[in-house]
Structures are given as C-alpha cells and as structure tokens.
Amino acid sequence: MIIDCHGHYTTAPRQLEEWRKRQIAELEDSKHAPAKGSLGISDDEIRASLEGAQLKLQRERGTDLTIFSPRAMGMSHHIGNETTSRHWSEHCNEMIHRVCALYPQKFVGVCQLPQSPGVAPANCIPELERCVKEFGFIGCNLNPDPSGGYWKEPPLTDKWWYPLYEKMVELEVPAMVHVSASCNPNFHGTGAHYINGDTTAFMQFITADLFRDFPTLKFIIPHGGGAVPYHWGRYRGLAQDMKRPPLKELLMNNVFFDTCVYHQPGIDLLLKVIPADNILFASEMVGAVKGVDPETGFNYDDTKRYIDAIDWVSRADKEKIFQGNVKRVYPRFKTRSAKR
Amino acid sequence: MIIDCHGHYTTAPRQLEEWRKRQIAELEDSKHAPAKGSLGISDDEIRASLEGAQLKLQRERGTDLTIFSPRAMGMSHHIGNETTSRHWSEHCNEMIHRVCALYPQKFVGVCQLPQSPGVAPANCIPELERCVKEFGFIGCNLNPDPSGGYWKEPPLTDKWWYPLYEKMVELEVPAMVHVSASCNPNFHGTGAHYINGDTTAFMQFITADLFRDFPTLKFIIPHGGGAVPYHWGRYRGLAQDMKRPPLKELLMNNVFFDTCVYHQPGIDLLLKVIPADNILFASEMVGAVKGVDPETGFNYDDTKRYIDAIDWVSRADKEKIFQGNVKRVYPRFKTRSAKR
C-alpha cells in the first residue's frame, strides 16, 4: 500500500469558498453576530470535486490512500478573530470528515486548527478532540505563524504551545508544521513562506529541549523539510557548535520529512541524507505546483516517480517511506484500519 | 587562481565591537550627539586578526583570494537610525579597506550599506560610491530585511530599491543579498533567517520584471541559494504555473549562487542542478559553522574539498566556478587586477 501523507482538499465545492467570502465580508460589519451556518453541499458535489482530481491522480499514479486535510492556504488564521477561525475550521474539517466517510479506502483525515494570532493554542484543543474522537482523524496541521508572514507568535518550542502538545501526546496525534497564506508582500506563499516555515521550525527544534519534555511528540516537516536536507551539514555543524546533541539523538525520533520535492535531484538528496525512518511519502497533490515538467513529460508533483526511479534504496527502506513510517508517526492510523 | 566570493571580517580586533557597543549604549542617551570618532586599531592588530584565521585557512585549503566584507551579523541595520548605520558602516568598510590595502593579493573589498528600517535605499549611494571609487571595492551586501526578521521593507523587486540599483548598474557592482542578525525569536540567525532570506529573494525575483528594467543588474544569493536548488523543480513549476518565462531566461543572467553548502550531497546537488555559469565558489569562512565534521575529519565550511571530490564536472566548468564567473559577475574585479 502506498500512502500519501500530504494532501489538501484544494478542489472543494465552490460553496465552501463562498461561505468563507461571506464570513470575511461580515467581519466589516461590527453589528453582525458571527454564526457558523451551513454550507449546503451535497455528497454528489463532494464526489464530483474529487473524482476528476485527487481520485483520478491516485489511480493514475498508483497511490492508494491520502492523509487529507483542508486547503493550507485557505486556513489563513490571520483573518478575523478566534471565532472566525473556529467557525471556518469546523466547516473545513467537517468537509474532510465527509470526504473520508464517502471514500474510507482513499482518504484519512487530518484537521485544521482554529488558531488565531495572539490566542493561546489551548483554544484548539476542543476542535482537535472533536476531529480525533468523533471523526477518526489521525493528526493535525499546526501553523507556526498564524500572523501570516509576520511571525509574531513565540517559537514552536515555547511553553506557549505546551497545552496543545499535551493534548496531542494524549491523543497520540502528530502535527504537520504547515504555514498558511502570507500577507507579507515579501513572502510568496508556496515559493517562500511555505519553505521558510519548514526551515524555521526545524531550526527552532534544534535550539530547545522540546523533545525532552515531550519524548513522544511528533512533527512532520513538509515540502521535503524546506531547506534542511540540502543544508544538512550546516545543521549538523550548527548543533555541534552550540554543543547540542547530534541531530539523530536530538530530534530524529520526533521529526519527519515528507517527499514534496518536485524534481529527481532533490528527492535523490533527501533519500541520501535523511534516514529512511524519517521520510514519509507525499505529493501535496492537487497542490502548489500543478504543471507538467517539460523535462520529464510528467507532473512536477508526481513524486512517486522520482522514488521509483531510485535503484540504490533498498526495498525495505522504500516500504518504510511509502507506508511503514506512517503507522509509526500516526499511531491512530492502525487503530482506524483495525476499526474499518 | 581560486577566489572565495564570500568572506566576512568576523575576526576584527575587539576595538571595533567595543566601538559598536558604545554606539549602542549612547543611543539610550537622547542628549548625546552621535559622532563617528575613531577606532584606534593598528595595522599590526589587523594583521594579527587575520594571520591565524582567514590567511591561515586560505593557505591550508588552497584558496588564493577572498572577496571580503564586514561581518554580516554585525550589520544589524535594525539598531538605531540612519546615522547609527552610517557611522557603523563607515567604520566597518574602512576596516575592510585597510585589510585589502595590507593584503592586496589576498582580499578584495565588498561593502556593507548604511541601510536603516524605513529609510529609502538611496541613502546608501554615497557610501557605496565612496567604497567603490575611493577604496576599490567591487560589490556590496544588500540586506533585504533591515528590520532584522520582521520583513517590513518592500520586496527587492519594488521601485523602492530602484535608485540604489541604478547606481549599482552605473558603477558595475553586484550585490550579495545577505540578511543580518534576526531579532525575531522565531528565526535563528544563521540557521533560519539567513537561509530564508536567500529563498525569499529568489522567489521575489521570479515574480517581477526587475531584470527587464535592469538587464545588467547582478545578485549573488549566498548559502548555496538557500532552499532554491533543492527545490529547483518547485521553482521551475511555480514560474510555469504563473506564466513566467523559464527561469533560465527570466533571471539566470542576473542571479548567481555561491557554494556555501556544508556537506558533499548538498554541493553535488547544487552543481548538478544549477548551470556552472551561475555558481561562484565560496566558503564564508571564518563564519557560521566553525566545527570539524566528525564524518569527514575536515571543517564543514571547507567547501573546496566537496568540489574537488566531484569528478563529473568538467575542468572548464570548475574553472568558471572557482574564478571565471567572478570576473563576469564583478566586472570591477578585472579593472582592479589590471591596476594592481
């Protein structure tokens, strides 16, 4: 079985986006009491939104199952306030739940959290519990920068985040560290903010003792770990200069990289540098890069091809990358499969 | 000849740092009129600061000449105001000038600019002209984020920066895009802010027509281009999705990457993915990572070894990387050599 650990519902029926637009418009009206309301999306509309997109690509590319979460750009935690984020996150997560219920063999849910700038992350616990306990979700996406490109929250290693981590540990769910849209004109979203977020989070983990406090806490750093594997020598060297333990010991039981790197040499480097135990297969389709690479004739984000093309990684290691590690990083994946 | 295009004077005599500390302390005293004053550093002290450090490493590693600029962390443009930055930059640049005068065969100067948050970059023109015309410097370091990790300036492609670019083009000097210290607790300096700055700048260049406006403007993106070569497929794909010209056409006459990548697989990837015409040899020694890699027994930042170890790059291409490209990217390098 081939599990893609990083897919977002980028093709949701238009009513979801329309609801969001109304919500944002209503923020202007101070007399309007925010309400969650409903979306009015039918099951058939959900099916139609997936059949020609994610499901078609799964079939074409030979991947079996996608760990699926709301659109990352759409989270935009910087908009409005805590209530804004709560209503929006609930709708987005309910959409994922419906997708997973319609296609239980094809999708497993991961939730968006109702983060909001300056609001203690403990506010996310009820929605996380709902998604895990009621919907059977197996993880969450954690935005290290709810301000959307201004980086005003404390680092991920700060005690500010600890109540959420306690709940994650208790529920046995990992977080993918995933920023959302950038409203800072310096940072292009998918071309700079995403990658910077990944790099930043990893370096935060190096400098603190988060995993001494939470030995079983797990994070997936997407987009191939940002700049990290390419600069692996830099990170090993910085940790060493700072008298930190070797990276392996410091964080490799807790930090994992996905394979959303969109060309062969990048995937080659990732698999060469990072232990197979720390890599999870992913494509982020339908996602950031949608085109066909004229150099290969295939989609840039068809990452399975790059891994298949490598002949110097053992079958056992590829098995870990394609599915074995998922079961370790997302312990609820197993429970869920058993139930099903 | 082997030219290292990225060295900072990280070992300057203590009086420089002491002057800076006094300057910062005096900022607290609103009645104090800022004055440049003098450093009281002798030529012998300068020699001593280099002999056991940069000069020793040049000899040991077999590099001939370093393109040398003030300490990048030290620039800290976020401190004080325009006058603060002007006095400090002048001192730092004068130190580089003295180094280059003492060791004209070993160092060529690149200047720090007196940037200051919110101050139009045109304010840097007098110091740039002084350094180029009076001191014989051949380039400058341009900080895309004088706020030190809060990214409050317009993107590098904004007209905000154009007056400085006009002067750079007129003087025929390139800029290395180099952030300075981060005062945002989210961003570790050398482990996150530096690399993010590189990635961010490259993506800014993709999204705008800066090089149509300035066809001869040149930038060096240090630290191996941040995350860019590792995600080369992503950047090609994003440009394509955005209907931008292919990267080669869009910016490869104007943007160059250095080789400050501190492990073999990273350098392998860089040389595989980026055309040799766009790579400049560099180590950033004595710099961000000072230790010895236990896996190789050599310094992480001894980047020449990694390039030497590669047998699939032609001699002609290595010659470009080690010295040929420098003469193209820094046109004043040639003039300077001829004069000497």
Side-chain angles (χ1 to χ4, degrees):
Chain A
M1 181 153 79
I2 293 180
I3 302 168
D4 183 338
C5 82
H6 188 177
H8 300 295
Y9 195 8
T10 50
T11 59
R14 58 171 175 71
Q15 294 97 313
L16 183 66
E17 197 52 36
E18 283 166 4
W19 183 94
R20 176 65 159 171
K21 279 189 188 149
R22 279 197 310 274
Q23 185 195 36
I24 295 170
E26 284 164 7
L27 285 172
E28 299 296 306
D29 177 2
S30 59
K31 273 175 280 174
H32 186 91
K36 185 176 164 189
S38 61
L39 300 176
I41 295 174
S42 70
D43 283 354
D44 277 349
E45 285 172 309
I46 293 177
R47 287 191 192 95
S49 74
L50 296 161
E51 285 292 350
Q54 289 84 356
L55 289 168
K56 175 166 169 279
L57 292 174
Q58 283 181 348
R59 280 192 301 272
E60 282 176 9
R61 298 180 183 184
T63 63
D64 298 294
L65 184 144
T66 301
I67 298 180
F68 207 51
S69 60
R71 195 166 69 96
M73 253 343 160
M75 299 191 298
S76 290
H77 295 113
H78 61 275
I79 296 175
N81 55 33
E82 192 182 348
T83 307
T84 317
S85 250
R86 181 160 51 79
H87 289 163
W88 174 233
S89 297
E90 285 177 11
H91 274 311
C92 290
N93 291 330
E94 286 161 21
M95 288 302 295
I96 298 297
H97 178 46
R98 291 178 66 188
V99 166
C100 297
L102 288 170
Y103 299 95
Q105 314 291 330
K106 293 294 172 189
F107 297 102
V108 188
V110 150
C111 66
Q112 165 178 336
L113 296 172
Q115 298 177 249
S116 193
V119 176
N123 85 312
C124 299
I125 292 176
E127 180 63 1
L128 178 64
E129 283 206 292
R130 183 176 83 115
C131 290
V132 172
K133 292 187 175 168
E134 294 180 28
F135 299 166
F137 285 14
I138 63 171
C140 58
N141 290 334
L142 181 63
N143 184 350
D145 173 29
S147 75
Y150 290 97
W151 291 89
K152 292 179 178 169
E153 240 60 8
L156 289 179
T157 49
D158 192 277
K159 295 219 155 46
W160 172 254
W161 303 92
Y162 274 30
L164 178 62
Y165 297 159
E166 281 161 19
K167 184 54 69 176
M168 284 168 57
V169 165
E170 180 200 315
L171 294 173
E172 291 192 291
V173 294
M176 179 173 279
V177 179
H178 206 308
V179 298
S180 184
S182 158
C183 40
N184 185 327
N186 278 285
F187 301 130
H188 184 273
T190 49
H193 191 43
Y194 277 29
I195 305 294
N196 294 350
D198 306 333
T199 308
T200 299
F202 186 80
M203 192 63 208
Q204 291 177 357
F205 295 146
I206 287 187
T207 56
D209 290 316
L210 178 60
F211 303 120
R212 207 170 53 191
D213 291 347
F214 295 101
T216 62
L217 185 64
K218 290 186 173 64
F219 291 105
I220 302 99
I221 303 193
H223 321 110
V228 171
Y230 176 50
H231 286 286
W232 196 238
R234 187 179 193 87
Y235 291 101
R236 287 197 294 113
L238 284 170
Q240 187 176 319
D241 284 358
M242 290 157 58
K243 316 276 183 225
R244 302 290 295 155
L247 297 186
K248 210 179 146 60
E249 196 179 304
L250 180 61
L251 44 68
M252 297 304 269
N253 288 321
N254 308 87
V255 175
F256 303 82
F257 300 101
D258 82 7
T259 66
C260 293
V261 178
Y262 297 155
H263 63 151
Q264 188 71 48
I267 291 285
D268 289 351
L269 176 123
L270 174 67
L271 269 60
K272 209 169 286 170
V273 167
I274 304 299
D277 285 335
N278 294 81
I279 302 175
L280 303 182
F281 172 70
S283 70
E284 201 173 2
M285 62 87 171
V286 180
V289 177
K290 294 181 187 66
V292 168
D293 185 347
E295 293 183 10
T296 65
F298 296 99
N299 283 85
Y300 288 101
D301 68 359
D302 188 354
T303 52
K304 180 167 169 289
R305 286 191 168 270
Y306 308 130
I307 299 170
D308 288 343
I310 293 174
D311 60 9
W312 43 265
V313 168
S314 70
R315 178 188 283 257
D317 279 352
K318 284 196 185 179
E319 199 275 345
K320 285 181 187 174
I321 293 169
F322 279 131
Q323 59 154 310
N325 293 336
V326 162
K327 296 167 189 169
R328 207 157 41 88
V329 177
Y330 300 82
R332 283 184 172 264
F333 186 85
K334 246 156 91 185
T335 327
R336 174 202 148 274
S337 307
K339 269 195 199 149
R340 210 184 58 202
Chain B
M1 182 154 78
I2 293 180
I3 302 168
D4 183 338
C5 82
H6 188 177
H8 301 294
Y9 196 7
T10 50
T11 60
R14 55 171 178 70
Q15 294 97 312
L16 184 66
E17 196 52 35
E18 283 165 6
W19 184 94
R20 176 65 159 169
K21 279 189 188 147
R22 279 198 308 276
Q23 185 195 35
I24 294 170
E26 285 164 6
L27 286 172
E28 299 295 307
D29 176 3
S30 61
K31 273 174 281 172
H32 186 92
K36 185 175 163 189
S38 61
L39 300 176
I41 295 174
S42 70
D43 283 355
D44 277 349
E45 286 174 307
I46 293 177
R47 287 190 192 96
S49 74
L50 297 161
E51 284 292 350
Q54 288 83 356
L55 289 168
K56 178 167 168 277
L57 292 174
Q58 283 181 347
R59 281 192 301 273
E60 283 176 7
R61 300 181 181 183
T63 63
D64 298 294
L65 185 145
T66 302
I67 298 181
F68 207 50
S69 61
R71 194 166 70 96
M73 253 342 160
M75 300 191 298
S76 291
H77 296 113
H78 61 276
I79 296 175
N81 54 35
E82 191 180 351
T83 306
T84 317
S85 249
R86 181 161 51 79
H87 288 162
W88 173 233
S89 297
E90 285 176 12
H91 274 310
C92 289
N93 291 331
E94 285 161 21
M95 288 302 295
I96 297 296
H97 178 45
R98 291 177 66 188
V99 166
C100 297
L102 287 171
Y103 299 95
Q105 314 292 329
K106 294 293 174 190
F107 297 102
V108 188
V110 151
C111 67
Q112 165 177 334
L113 295 172
Q115 297 177 250
S116 193
V119 176
N123 84 314
C124 299
I125 292 175
E127 180 61 2
L128 178 65
E129 284 207 291
R130 183 176 82 115
C131 289
V132 172
K133 292 187 175 167
E134 294 180 26
F135 299 166
F137 286 14
I138 63 172
C140 59
N141 290 334
L142 181 63
N143 183 351
D145 173 30
S147 76
Y150 290 97
W151 292 89
K152 292 178 179 169
E153 239 63 5
L156 289 178
T157 47
D158 192 277
K159 297 218 154 46
W160 173 254
W161 303 92
Y162 274 29
L164 178 62
Y165 297 159
E166 281 161 18
K167 185 52 70 174
M168 284 168 56
V169 165
E170 179 199 317
L171 294 172
E172 290 192 292
V173 293
M176 180 173 279
V177 179
H178 206 308
V179 297
S180 184
S182 157
C183 41
N184 185 328
N186 278 288
F187 301 130
H188 183 273
T190 49
H193 192 42
Y194 277 29
I195 305 293
N196 293 350
D198 306 332
T199 308
T200 300
F202 186 80
M203 191 64 210
Q204 290 176 359
F205 295 146
I206 288 186
T207 55
D209 289 316
L210 179 60
F211 304 118
R212 206 170 55 190
D213 290 347
F214 295 100
T216 63
L217 184 65
K218 288 185 174 64
F219 291 106
I220 302 98
I221 302 193
H223 321 109
V228 171
Y230 175 49
H231 286 286
W232 196 239
R234 187 179 194 85
Y235 291 101
R236 288 199 291 112
L238 284 171
Q240 186 176 320
D241 284 358
M242 290 156 59
K243 316 275 181 226
R244 303 290 295 155
L247 297 186
K248 212 180 147 59
E249 197 179 304
L250 180 62
L251 43 68
M252 297 305 270
N253 287 322
N254 308 86
V255 176
F256 303 83
F257 300 102
D258 82 5
T259 65
C260 293
V261 178
Y262 296 156
H263 64 150
Q264 188 70 49
I267 291 285
D268 289 350
L269 176 124
L270 173 66
L271 270 62
K272 209 168 287 173
V273 167
I274 304 298
D277 284 336
N278 293 81
I279 302 175
L280 302 182
F281 171 70
S283 70
E284 201 173 357
M285 64 86 172
V286 182
V289 177
K290 294 181 187 67
V292 169
D293 185 346
E295 292 182 10
T296 64
F298 295 100
N299 284 84
Y300 288 100
D301 66 1
D302 187 354
T303 51
K304 180 166 167 291
R305 286 190 169 271
Y306 309 130
I307 299 170
D308 288 343
I310 292 174
D311 60 9
W312 45 265
V313 169
S314 71
R315 179 187 282 259
D317 278 352
K318 284 196 185 180
E319 200 273 344
K320 286 181 187 175
I321 293 169
F322 279 131
Q323 59 154 310
N325 293 337
V326 161
K327 297 167 189 168
R328 206 156 42 88
V329 178
Y330 299 82
R332 283 183 172 265
F333 185 86
K334 245 154 92 186
T335 328
R336 175 203 149 273
S337 308
K339 270 194 198 149
R340 213 182 55 205

